[in-house]
Amino acid sequence: WSIVENDGVQRLERVFTFKNFVDALAFTNKVGQIAEEEGHHPAILTEWGKVTVAWWTHKIGGLHRNDFIMAAKTDQLYNAPS
Amino acid sequence: WSIVENDGVQRLERVFTFKNFVDALAFTNKVGQIAEEEGHHPAILTEWGKVTVAWWTHKIGGLHRNDFIMAAKTDQLYNAPS
C-alpha cells in the first residue's frame, strides 16, 4: 500500500494483479462485499488483469485507523485461496 | 461522454450516478459482462453512488469506432429498467 494524495486527500492505494478481466472483476466484488459489511466504501478501479483499491475516510478527508484495517482485510481477500 | 486524454491516450469517459454503493457495483458488473462478451475491456471506477467508465482501444492507443459502440451500449445498460 502507498499513501497517495488525491485532490489534497491522503488515500491508501494498492494495485492487485490478476490473469484476466473476470478474475479482476471477481476481486472487485469481494472488496465491495466487505465494504458493504463495514459500511465503509473505497474507490475500486477495475481493468483487464488489474484492480486498484483506494481507502480513505470521506468524513475527515484523509486516513483513519479504520482505513488501515480495511487495507489489511483487502490483502487477506487477495491472499485467500479462491 | 467526454473525450479525456490520459497519459497521451484519448479515452471516452462518462460518470454514471446511483443511489448507493450496491447499485453502483451492480452496474459495474453489467458493464463487465458486456465487456467480456465483446472481448473489449474498459476501465471501471466504482465508488459510493458513482461509476466512471472509460473506453479506449489499447492496441491503437486511442479511440476506435468500437469504443463509441461500447459507450452507446453502456448507456443502454444504464437506461434499461433493472
Side-chain angles (χ1 to χ4, degrees), chain A:
Chain A
W1 295 87
S2 310
I3 294 180
V4 176
E5 199 162 309
N6 187 308
D7 286 334
V9 176
Q10 285 196 328
R11 318 198 307 182
L12 274 179
E13 274 194 23
R14 185 182 161 187
V15 176
F16 297 89
T17 55
F18 301 90
K19 67 176 192 293
N20 56 36
F21 184 80
V22 169
D23 287 2
L25 186 56
F27 184 70
T28 294
N29 279 288
K30 285 183 194 171
V31 175
Q33 194 181 331
I34 61 166
E36 258 317 276
E37 283 167 10
E38 302 289 338
H40 190 50
H41 299 92
I44 315 173
L45 177 61
T46 312
E47 297 172 274
W48 194 96
K50 187 165 87 166
V51 175
T52 308
V53 180
W55 292 102
W56 77 102
T57 300
H58 308 244
K59 202 162 47 174
I60 61 169
L63 293 171
H64 182 270
R65 182 170 177 275
N66 194 34
D67 296 305
F68 293 86
I69 294 170
M70 295 306 285
K73 287 190 180 182
T74 308
D75 285 343
Q76 284 171 7
L77 288 178
Y78 185 67
N79 296 325
S82 59

Side-chain angles (χ1 to χ4, degrees), chain B residues 9-26:
Chain B
V9 174
Q10 287 196 327
R11 317 200 307 183
L12 274 179
E13 275 194 23
R14 185 182 160 186
V15 177
F16 297 88
T17 56
F18 301 90
K19 66 176 192 291
N20 55 36
F21 183 78
V22 169
D23 287 3
L25 186 57

Side-chain angles (χ1 to χ4, degrees), chain B residues 47-63:
Chain B
E47 298 172 272
W48 195 96
K50 188 164 87 165
V51 174
T52 307
V53 180
W55 291 102
W56 77 101
T57 300
H58 309 242
K59 199 161 52 175
I60 63 170
L63 294 172

